[in-house]
Amino acid sequence: MKKAAVLAALALVTAACGGGGTQAPAGGPVAGGTFTYALSADPGVLDPATGVLGATNLVLSVAYDTLVASTDDGTIVPGLAEKWEVKPDSVTFTLRKDVTCSDGSKLTPADVAQNVNHIADPATKSPIYGVLLPVGMKAVADDAAGTVTLSTPKPFSFILQSAESLFIVCGKGVKDRASIARATSGTGPYVLKSAAPGDSYTFEVRKDYAWGPNGATSKGLPDKVVLKVVPNEQTAANLLLAGSINGATFYGADRTRLEAAPGIGKMLPSAGQHQFFYHQGDDRPTKDPAVRKALTQAVNLKELGGIATSGTGRPATGMVAEPRPCKGDSVAGHVPAFDVAASAAGLDAAGWKAGPDGIRVKDGKRLSLRYLYVTTRGAGIQAAAEYLAATWKKLGVEIKLNGVLDTKLAESLNATQDWDVAWLPIGVTLPSQLVGFLSGPAAPKGANFAHLANERYTKLVEEATLKPGEEGCKLWLEAESALFENGDLVPVADTTVLVATKNATFSLILGLFDPTSIRLTQGG
C-alpha cells in the first residue's frame, strides 16, 4: 500500500520510495521473531501532527493507519474507512466498525475529526498544515452514523487523496498529545513499547489487528519490530551483511557492494527528486532573479545529477513522486540552459564585479553564499556540494558549505535561516502538498522557508485547486514550471535508492512501511 510522504528534507516529508516489495531471498517464512531495520536519523517527537522528517514518518507508519490507502498504480482502496462519498469540496467517510486503538478503546468518528481539527488549529502550529492537510480543511463527526466529513472552504482537486497522508491518532493520545511524544496511540498493527532516542525504537505486534488495507491482518507478522538508529551507511551495510539487521535504505557507495552480495533482497525504488533552492529574503544576493539565473546557467545540471545520484538517477521531470496524479514533464524547456559565458555576463550586468581576490563584489559586499545540505543521503550529495562550490568559485562566488543531519535541517531552514542555497530531496505524492512550502507566509512565521513570492505560481495554484482531473493537472504542471522559470528552485534529478534486506521481505513505499507486508524468512 502507498502512504504519502512529505518533503524528505523536511523530510520535508521524506525521502520517498515508490515501487513494490523486495526481491525475496531464499527461505520460507518464519513465525514470530524480531524484524530490525536501520533508520538514518533519530525520528524525534512522535506526534503525527508534527511529523515532517522522513525518519519520523517511517516510524509512525508502523503504528498508525490512514483512512484510505492506494495501490502502486494510485488506485484508492479502503483503510480505516470502508467507503466514502466525494464532492468537490468535501468527502464523507464511513468508518469500519471493528477498529480498536492500541489501548483497547474503539475508534470513533470523533477521534478522526479531532485529528484533523487539531492539525488545523492555529494554536497547534502544525508543520503539516497546508502540506498534508489542505488549508481550511475542517472535520465534522457523526458518531451515530459512523461517519466523518472532511470539507474545505472551496473545491479542492485532491480532497480524497489527501486522506492518504493523515496518520490517525486514537485513544488517550487524542486528548493528551504530550503522551505520544515518545509513545504511540494508534490503530496500526504495532504499538511502541520502548523508545531509546538516538539508539532504537521497539514495537510489539497487536494480535487482534484485522482491519488493514484489502483485509490485511497481523497474522504472520514478526512479534517485534526494532527500528535502530544507524546514521552511517557503511555501518548499516556491515550490520546487514552480518545478519544483525534485516533491512536498510542506501543512497551512496555501499549500495554497489550490497547489490552484488549473495543472500541480499534488493529493491530499487524511486527516491523522489533532488533540487536546490535559492533564499529570497530581502538581505540575500539571491533575491535578485538575475543572480539566480546566472548561478543556474553556470551549472551543468546533467553532470551534477550524475554526481549527486552516483549515476543511478535520471533527468528531473517534476516535483512529485511516482505514481504522479498529474502525468507530464514540467521541467523540460523551463530551466535556464548551461551557458558559462552568459552566466558571467549576467552577474556583471547585475552589478557584481570581480574583486582583487576574484570574488565578486557589489556595493562593498562580497558575493558570499552559504550552502546547506544533509549528510545522511550518501557520498553523492557531498560530492554534489563540492562540485557546486567549485563551479561557482570559478564564477567569482564565495561558497561556505554546511552539511547537517536531518534533525538539524528543519531548524536551519526555518528558524536560524543560516543559508542562501539549500539542497533538498523532496518526496511528496500530491502537488498540493508543496504549496505551503513554496508560497504564503515566510519562515519563521510560515513554512515558506525560501521566502518565495512567485505571483504566477500562486495564481496557477489557486486555479488548479478548484479543478479536478486533466484540466487541474495542466495547471499544476504549469505552476511547477513557473517556479523553474523564475529561478526559485532548480530541479536536478529523479533518484533511486537501494532498499536491501536479509532474511526478511517487506514493502517500503514512498519512504514508509506497509507494516502488514513484513515477513521474516529462514535465517531471521
Side-chain angles (χ1 to χ4, degrees), residues 143-478:
D143 285 333
T147 63
V148 60
T149 298
L150 312 186
S151 61
T152 50
K154 298 179 181 179
F156 177 59
S157 51
F158 301 116
I159 195 163
L160 174 60
Q161 291 89 333
S162 64
E164 292 182 72
S165 310
L166 301 176
F167 291 123
I168 301 300
V169 177
C170 57
K172 63 180 181 181
V174 173
K175 296 181 179 179
D176 183 8
R177 304 296 293 209
S179 70
I180 54 175
R182 294 292 180 187
T184 59
S185 186
T187 64
Y190 286 91
V191 59
L192 183 63
K193 287 299 182 180
S194 66
D199 181 70
S200 62
Y201 295 78
T202 300
F203 295 80
E204 289 186 1
V205 73
R206 296 183 59 191
K207 298 294 187 181
D208 62 339
Y209 183 83
W211 46 83
N214 283 341
T217 71
S218 58
K219 184 179 180 180
L221 295 183
D223 291 333
K224 293 183 179 180
V225 167
V226 176
L227 302 180
K228 185 174 180 60
V229 181
V230 187
N232 184 282
E233 280 199 1
Q234 185 176 18
T235 300
N238 292 338
L239 290 172
L240 185 70
L241 290 169
S244 299
I245 62 175
N246 301 105
T249 299
F250 297 91
Y251 299 85
D254 287 285
R255 64 185 287 176
T256 302
R257 65 175 171 129
L258 288 170
E259 286 173 355
I264 298 295
K266 309 168 188 73
M267 179 169 67
L268 296 172
S270 167
Q273 289 66 44
H274 280 299
Q275 52 269 298
F276 56 88
F277 286 74
Y278 294 117
H279 196 302
Q280 296 182 36
D282 290 337
D283 60 338
R284 309 304 174 98
T286 44
K287 181 178 179 61
D288 185 349
V291 172
R292 301 196 300 271
K293 181 177 180 180
L295 291 171
T296 305
Q297 287 178 308
V299 180
N300 184 328
L301 293 177
K302 182 178 180 180
E303 192 171 69
L304 176 63
I307 293 170
T309 65
S310 301
T312 62
R314 52 183 178 265
T317 57
M319 296 184 68
V320 179
E322 299 288 356
R324 295 173 181 164
C326 296
K327 310 300 181 184
D329 187 339
S330 63
V331 177
H334 299 286
V335 179
F338 175 48
D339 189 332
V340 177
S343 174
L347 287 181
D348 286 338
W352 293 95
K353 307 294 185 180
D357 60 355
I359 300 301
R360 291 176 180 269
V361 179
K362 180 180 181 180
D363 299 330
K365 183 178 180 180
R366 292 163 66 85
L367 185 49
S368 180
L369 303 176
R370 296 163 296 179
Y371 180 90
L372 179 69
Y373 65 100
V374 289
T375 58
T376 56
R377 293 292 184 265
I381 303 305
Q382 175 69 44
E386 294 169 355
Y387 174 87
L388 280 171
T391 297
W392 286 334
K393 183 178 180 180
K394 292 178 184 177
L395 190 61
V397 183
E398 182 179 58
I399 301 294
K400 300 176 182 177
L401 299 181
N402 181 24
V404 299
L405 294 174
D406 297 56
T407 48
K408 290 291 184 181
L409 183 63
E411 178 183 344
S412 291
L413 285 173
N414 297 288
T416 60
Q417 294 269 288
D418 54 351
W419 64 279
D420 298 288
V421 181
W423 181 284
L424 295 180
I426 289 179
V428 297
T429 57
L430 300 173
S432 57
Q433 293 170 348
L434 289 165
V435 176
F437 294 108
L438 304 176
S439 61
K445 294 182 179 180
N448 183 359
F449 58 90
H451 293 233
L452 304 186
N454 189 318
E455 293 182 2
R456 183 162 175 259
Y457 172 80
T458 301
K459 182 177 183 297
L460 286 166
V461 163
E462 289 175 350
E463 294 177 9
T465 300
L466 302 176
K467 301 181 184 299
E470 289 299 320
E471 186 178 5
C473 278
K474 180 177 182 294
L475 294 170
W476 282 112
L477 292 172
E478 287 182 19

